[in-house]
Amino acid sequence: MALSSSAFRQTAPTSVVGYHQTSGESFGIVTEIEANYEQNLGLHLSNVNQPDLNVLVKQNEGAKLVELGGVKEIANSLKTNVQHGIRSSIGEILIRRRTFGSNFYVEARRKSFVHLLGQALNHLPIVLLLISAVVSLALGISKHGPKQGWYDGGSILISILVSICVSAYSNSWLNRQHELLSEEKEKILVEVVRDGTRQWISIFDIVVGDVVCLKTGDQVPADGLFIDGLDLEVDEYGTNRRVLIGEHQESFLVSGSYVVNGYATILVTAVGMNTKWGETMSSRVSDPNVQMPLQARLNRLASLMRKIGLLVAFMIFALLLVRYFTGNTKDQSGNKRFKGSKTSIFDLCNAIVGFFITAVMIIVVAIPEGLIFALKLTVLHSMKGMMDNQTMVRNSSAFEAIGFPTTICTEINGALCSNWMKVSKSLIGKDSITEKNLMEENVLELFVEGISITRDIALKLFRCAPIDDAIHTWTVLTLSGMEMHNKARCLSLIRVEASPANKKRIGVVVQRELDSTISVHWRGDAEGILSSCSHYYEMNGSITVFNDEDRELFRQRIENMTASGLQCIALAHKHILIHDRISRSEKIPEDNLTLLALMGLKGFCHPGTKHAIEACQLAGVKVIMVTKENITVARSMAMEYGLLSLTEEVENEGSIVTGNQFRDYDDNEAMEIVGNIRIMAKSYYLDKLAIVRILKKNDHVVVVTGDNTTDALSLKEADIGVAMGVESTQMAKESSDIVVRDGNFVDVVEIVRWRLCIHSNIQKFLQFQLTTIVATLVINLVAAAVAGEVPLTVVQLLWLHLVVGTLGALALATEKPTKKLMENQPGIQNKSLISNLMWGNLLSQALYQIAVVMVLQFKGVAILGISSEKVNDTMIFNTFVLCQMFNEFNARMLKRKNVFKGIHRNKIFLGIIGITVVLQVAMVEFLKKFADTQRLNMEQWGVCIAIAAVSWPIGWLVKFTTSVLP
């Protein structure tokens, strides 16, 4: 239950029909239902009330629990049957919710559009622009009157306001999309007992009185009291404590705690804001200054560009002033002014304000604010793309922070293999099991009893039990449909031993209801079980003592199974005398067992796993199999999946190690050998954690997969922790950065691609925006120095800022990953964002744009044969904007020479280009007064397009030159 990430969000429940309807008709229906249930349910209680229940668990009130009559009496007072739970009818749920509260906590509301508008306004350059625009508007109106005088200042003011609104709306839309993703992340199901049956409901629909079923790895969804269970151990806020049956002071379960072992049913006594966890989470204040690591790097770049922009802006302002007083230039209205001309105070103020606005606008253009928007957009796009592939990103910061992963530590089950298994071989004694008629009745009964009870316990303890499901299915089909569930029901459970770290090994003590005999059943790894056995059953029911020859024969059969890639499981049994009855606190006997059966199970590879491993190896990403299986099984499966070849095994010493061997290495030896490891067999969760730490010390960027509670430490330690499958424990999910619902290694490789896609998209936009910034700064600086004027007006600069910063981000930050991304060699975390190839693309395009604008600025009228300088200025603006649009295609492909490759698949890119073209035509042809432009004829449009299109061959030439140079 994702309580740590605002699971109790203040939103309407998802499964109670009509709960948040507000129409008069539905309200009347709900009120009538409530009235009927108030009479029948009787929740106005005299011996228990809400405050008592709220503090009961939060303050560990053992005395209060005794005073209220214990768990069963409280359950009776809440009209809850501890065996059958509450009724699932709408009316009862509504009454309980109204009486005791809902399972939400109140969190801070998201930032409104008005708030984001205020944030957009809270920038000094924007404030200075607004003030200057207002002054310019006032000066213009005072000189030319309202009809004509508003154009200069008014158009600037409108442009600034439009830019601010677009920025605020873009951030608001991004925030809303992230909220929708968060809501998807928090759609958590909890198992409860209602109407006598177990059912899954939303965590938000839990009410006081519910009976919740917990198992290893679950997170407690609400404050509650222990009803029943075995070996329940919880981790409450980092402190392990054991919940013992029948002791009131150890009957309290606090919401937010993790179940690290055992299983239980609990009675919910407080939900939402009435819980200790709800109080903690609602009072938590998020730090608005927390940044994603890549965002911090982009902010440093933006800070550098801001300083450069400030310097250039100051130089431009000074140059414009100097040229205004000492040389030929234009005034604010575009009229020529010559040296020695008289200037009125009004014209002087108007000119200074105009120069100041231009300088401030240069600062605005020079700051690549679109980078952060592009980053957030591409991360959001990647998260949504992965969600379409049943992959949920829980921690976007960790996801975007790391460089190219160099190592993936994965397991066999749940990642390389599916959780579906099949029994391939089965033995009782020295004979294969083919049908039940060949088995003596007593052996058959013990066999079915052991399978039934261990499966029942595995399903209670763990979310997924592929071994038990496979054996159960095989038994039903092979042994003519034995009634497995009836067998389990005829047994009374006394003691259980099972560890989340080793799901294969389960020990149970049961008592038969018919004859009260007590039996021990063990199911686990064949080698371990065999070493604990002193006898074995024959098919005919006789029990034979193990001699050395027999034990060697059984070991050989186990080795033959494992050599074939089978996981070998053993079932063992032991009778216990009545007077030797085992208590709940005693350890289950593991000596002098009688071997009942050996079974070889085959795991099935996920489709595409072998190709995914090949893709990783081609990209230089090492895949390490970390498994509990023995060396023989691990090696066989690694060969099957292409993870290891005979050549690699021979050439690379230490390619296969065991957990014991790795533990014996000191740090220096481990650092030396870790680069060669391909398989770590017979390993435990601490071995997995150790190899991750050593890899990170060796500057590897590590991805770790896992699905167990014991994997939590490794998942947290990794650069990216990936919880595999919907059957992953909640503790594993909470410790991970990404949850892959299908539990497929192919999806892990897809995660790597999406991660690279984020980095690639940011580089694309960075190259695109920096090209525009460099060209704009140089063009305006040179023009101010030479001509005493800038070629683009403030409105045109604002439009360019919008085209590049917002529309450009939308176009370039939404590219999907390609298979080519995996062909790059792995990088490191601190690698520069701007590669040498990007510098080549950037400088070549910027120099071309500078040259084009300068030629048009000083020789455009003569070269193009234009009679009007206004038309020439418009062509400069139009050409410069079109150059950015053509360069967008170049930026879309950082390395490929064919910039149109796969462009038909990116509908967003094509749509943004189309919108930009339409808006640019409108700026030139229809918004003449606003944009200070002049209409162009078809020939002039053709010239602008032709000049801008030269960007493509320049980009092709740079990429070609880079590809052939050593």
Side-chain angles (χ1 to χ4, degrees), residues 588-848:
I588 298 178
E590 296 185 59
D591 58 331
N592 295 321
L593 302 179
T594 302
L595 182 66
L596 186 57
L598 290 176
M599 310 194 83
L601 287 85
K602 174 71 175 175
F604 292 89
C605 177
H606 284 296
T609 296
K610 191 169 183 177
H611 294 299
I613 291 174
E614 288 176 359
C616 288
Q617 292 171 338
L618 286 173
V621 180
K622 184 171 66 174
V623 181
I624 300 178
M625 179 192 290
V626 183
T627 179
K628 303 176 187 71
E629 302 295 339
N630 61 40
I631 287 180
T632 307
V633 173
R635 181 179 176 277
S636 174
M637 300 190 82
M639 295 287 186
E640 180 182 347
Y641 301 153
L643 195 77
L644 182 70
S645 65
L646 288 172
T647 305
E648 285 180 311
E649 186 178 3
V650 172
E651 293 179 352
N652 296 332
E653 183 181 355
S655 58
I656 303 178
V657 298
T658 64
N660 283 332
Q661 289 174 329
F662 193 77
R663 266 174 263 144
D664 290 338
Y665 295 141
D666 59 32
D667 285 348
N668 292 331
E669 290 173 329
M671 293 279 279
E672 290 178 8
I673 198 70
V674 74
N676 295 329
I677 295 176
R678 294 294 180 272
I679 299 171
M680 180 183 280
K682 300 195 75 171
S683 62
Y684 295 95
Y685 68 99
L686 290 178
D687 301 323
K688 190 174 184 180
L689 178 63
I691 195 172
V692 171
R693 286 175 173 169
I694 293 295
L695 285 166
K696 290 182 70 176
K697 283 184 180 179
N698 259 0
D699 295 326
H700 285 259
V701 179
V702 186
V703 178
V704 170
T705 69
D707 59 2
N708 293 333
T709 302
T710 52
D711 292 324
L713 293 174
S714 301
L715 292 169
K716 280 185 178 179
E717 184 71 25
D719 293 295
I720 287 186
V722 183
M724 302 297 289
V726 291
E727 298 298 339
S728 297
T729 66
Q730 196 61 38
M731 192 169 182
K733 291 177 182 177
E734 289 291 333
S735 302
S736 65
D737 303 301
I738 298 172
V739 178
V740 178
R741 291 177 179 172
D742 289 341
N744 194 329
F745 185 78
V746 176
D747 294 322
V748 177
V749 178
E750 198 64 23
I751 290 169
V752 175
R753 284 199 181 98
W754 277 109
R755 167 62 193 94
L756 295 175
C757 185
I758 289 177
H759 192 268
S760 176
N761 287 349
I762 288 300
Q763 285 186 312
K764 292 172 185 177
F765 181 72
L766 183 60
Q767 175 184 294
F768 172 64
Q769 189 168 39
L770 288 183
T771 301
T772 306
I773 291 173
V774 170
T776 303
L777 292 179
V778 174
I779 287 169
N780 284 283
L781 183 61
V782 173
V786 177
E789 60 179 335
V790 292
L792 301 177
T793 67
V794 173
V795 173
Q796 291 169 356
L797 285 172
L798 277 168
W799 166 239
L800 183 68
H801 182 61
L802 181 64
V803 167
V804 175
T806 302
L807 297 179
L810 285 169
L812 294 173
T814 52
E815 285 282 346
K816 293 183 179 179
T818 62
K819 292 183 179 179
K820 285 284 183 182
L821 286 173
M822 288 293 289
E823 294 179 2
N824 298 321
Q825 289 301 312
I828 57 175
Q829 285 178 280
N830 297 321
K831 187 177 180 179
S832 174
L833 283 171
I834 307 177
S835 65
N836 292 334
L837 177 59
M838 289 173 64
W839 277 118
N841 291 331
L842 188 159
L843 293 176
S844 62
Q845 295 295 331
L847 289 172
Y848 173 69

Side-chain angles (χ1 to χ4, degrees), residues 554-596:
F554 276 90
R555 282 202 185 96
Q556 187 61 48
R557 291 192 170 184
I558 291 171
E559 288 179 7
N560 291 339
M561 288 186 191
T562 55
S564 302
L566 302 181
Q567 297 186 42
C568 199
I569 301 298
L571 301 175
H573 170 264
K574 184 176 184 178
H575 283 293
I576 301 293
L577 299 177
I578 296 293
H579 61 268
D580 292 332
R581 179 167 183 151
I582 300 171
S583 69
R584 289 182 181 269
S585 59
E586 287 184 87
K587 189 171 178 62
I588 298 178
E590 296 185 59
D591 58 331
N592 295 321
L593 302 179
T594 302
L595 182 66
L596 186 57

Side-chain angles (χ1 to χ4, degrees), residues 905-922:
R905 290 193 292 269
N906 194 339
K907 303 296 190 298
I908 297 177
F909 181 89
L910 294 175
I912 293 299
I913 292 293
I915 291 171
T916 308
V917 169
V918 171
L919 292 176
Q920 179 63 18
V921 171

Side-chain angles (χ1 to χ4, degrees), residues 428-429 431 438-444 446 536-544 575 594-596:
I428 287 185
D431 302 316
L438 298 178
M439 298 172 63
E440 197 274 334
E441 185 175 350
N442 181 53
V443 176
L444 178 62
L446 286 174
Y536 65 93
Y537 278 101
E538 297 277 10
M539 190 78 76
N540 59 13
S542 61
I543 299 176
T544 305
H575 283 293
T594 302
L595 182 66
L596 186 57

